[in-house]
Amino acid sequence: FPIPCIAMSDQQQRVAAAKNEIGAFSDMYNRMLKQCFEKCVEHFHESELSLGENTCLDRCVGKYVESQQKVGEQMAKVTAQMSQI
Amino acid sequence: IALNQSGRAANMDMNAMLQGVSEGERQKLMVMLEEMQMKEQVTMYNSLVERCFANCVTQFRQKSLDEKEDKCVKRCTMKFIKASARAGQTFQQIGMQLPGQAPAGGGQPGQ
């Protein structure tokens, strides 16, 4: 997200942005994992994942990534509108 | 959005707090703050996605979002942004009413 960065030099900004991106990815991944595990895996009668659980996990990951994109699009749309007020 | 508002309010206090602190140290602090802000934005975004997903997506019959879930996610995002703006606004108003605070400039009552 574009935030006005005044204190950092161009170089520093790029380094910070790269750090941020890696952190952001890692954070997103962990949250997705947590959500999908909670929603798809409910019993612990056995240690192997069932076919249903595997399918659920696949679909859950797909849906999570899609949700991420939609939220991003919405936010971009709204912040663009708000900055025009 | 609300973050930037509260950020600006914090900046005003800091000029008083940092009386006599060297320019070099101030610079370091500002850089650190900007990094923190960037990180904060990312965390906010990721936790928003998580929250909306948790509330809106409850079945996995297909591998992509159906229409109901799509609308839900969009509404969730909109509501969060509005809630965030409002909370920030209220927070700033309360901050201006606290004793000993320099007013940022006429807050409008009953907004």
Side-chain angles (χ1 to χ4, degrees), chain A residues 2-78:
Chain A
I3 311 170
C5 286
I6 13 174
M8 289 195 266
S9 72
D10 198 48
Q11 175 105 346
Q12 281 175 319
Q13 267 189 58
R14 273 183 277 143
V15 170
K19 260 200 237 173
N20 227 22
E21 178 113 12
I22 295 168
F25 186 83
S26 160
D27 186 35
M28 180 218 94
Y29 188 83
N30 285 325
R31 288 174 194 268
M32 178 185 77
L33 205 49
K34 179 174 155 234
Q35 282 294 314
C36 292
F37 186 80
E38 279 173 11
K39 286 180 187 274
C40 290
V41 181
E42 286 174 9
H43 307 294
F44 302 103
H45 302 313
E46 8 162 281
S47 60
E48 291 294 324
L49 291 168
S50 71
L51 177 61
E53 287 168 336
N54 275 326
T55 309
C56 180
L57 285 169
D58 289 344
R59 291 176 182 168
C60 180
V61 169
K63 281 189 161 184
Y64 196 92
V65 169
E66 200 180 334
S67 306
Q68 173 117 4
Q69 287 169 338
K70 303 238 150 141
V71 169
E73 283 165 12
Q74 266 309 90
M75 286 204 81
K77 208 162 56 163
V78 172

